[in-house]
Amino acid sequence: MKRAAIYPGSFDPFTLGHMDIAQRALKLFDQVYIAIGENTGKAPLFSAEERRAMISEVFKDDSRVHVIVFDNLLVDLMKKLDTNVIIRGLRAVSDFEMELQMASVNRVLYSSSESVFLMTSDKYSFLSSGMVKEIASMNKSCLGKFVPKMIEAELKKKF
Ligand code: ADP
């Protein structure tokens, strides 16, 4: 039986930190669904469809990765995809409280759901999509240090 996991997030945009977590998840699971949340309450820089297209391009040569958009409860998506594993990345202690809350809610909503927390490489422990957007609005020349090449090009077009 193939083991599948869902890696949900806003990914606005997908960074090398997200990439690091996705690659780690692929060491543990046969299939990884990168699930882009449409309803996060934040006004996104990239539309969900733009994010889906960009992340699909990043993983175009890896058939183990599936990129999808969802606008319903994560647990409903999990049931639909027949998986009970949620992947989340941890950067610093500051991520922990929110992640604990979400994992607990998901477990109440779907008792067999399990959240798996993966620690990023030290070199990405400071990296967030918000920081990338801020840097992109001021200086585009260093974006390659933070996002995959293809996403760097799309960011340059936006700013
Ligand atoms: P959300 O808005 O759901 O937090 P994000 O796109 O910001 O979505 O993040 C998705 C997941 O990836 C979260 O678990 C977040 O902690 C993790 N993540 C984001 N950036 C990094 C990073 N640099 N290293 C490790 N994990 C990260």
Side-chain angles (χ1 to χ4, degrees):
M1 199 185 109
K2 290 207 165 161
R3 295 283 297 155
I6 297 194
Y7 179 26
S10 316
F11 308 115
D12 184 39
F14 191 83
T15 68
L16 291 178
H18 293 131
M19 182 77 157
D20 182 86
I21 296 298
Q23 301 289 9
R24 288 174 197 282
L26 286 165
K27 291 190 205 158
L28 302 173
F29 297 94
D30 304 308
Q31 307 277 330
V32 172
Y33 292 92
I34 297 181
I36 302 162
E38 211 169 11
N39 284 336
T40 56
K42 307 172 197 164
L45 175 64
F46 292 99
S47 71
E49 178 46 36
E50 284 174 321
R51 282 174 271 160
R52 195 199 56 72
M54 288 189 287
I55 303 170
S56 299
E57 181 66 23
V58 170
F59 289 100
K60 67 174 190 297
D61 296 324
D62 195 335
S63 60
R64 298 169 301 167
V65 178
H66 312 275
V67 187
I68 53 181
V69 173
F70 72 107
D71 63 359
N72 49 349
L73 274 180
L74 178 61
V75 293
D76 292 335
L77 177 69
M78 293 171 76
K79 289 175 191 165
K80 195 170 128 196
L81 296 173
D82 198 21
T83 173
N84 65 341
V85 182
I86 303 165
I87 301 286
R88 295 288 286 177
L90 284 181
R91 284 162 289 196
V93 185
S94 50
D95 278 339
F96 182 77
E97 204 167 312
M98 182 66 179
E99 293 296 341
L100 178 70
Q101 195 181 3
M102 277 199 300
S104 306
V105 169
N106 285 327
R107 197 178 265 171
V108 169
L109 295 173
Y110 183 24
S111 59
S112 61
S113 70
E114 294 295 347
S115 297
V116 173
F117 298 100
L118 299 175
M119 274 169 59
T120 183
S121 310
D122 290 349
K123 61 179 190 263
Y124 301 130
S125 61
F126 62 89
L127 186 54
S128 68
S129 297
M131 198 195 74
V132 165
K133 282 182 270 197
E134 208 163 317
I135 293 172
S137 69
M138 290 181 272
N139 182 345
K140 295 185 265 299
S141 66
C142 52
L143 286 173
K145 291 187 165 76
F146 308 121
V147 295
K149 272 240 151 329
M150 194 270 150
I151 297 201
E152 180 185 1
E154 294 303 316
L155 266 170
K156 283 182 176 167
K157 281 187 218 160
K158 279 273 177 197
F159 286 95

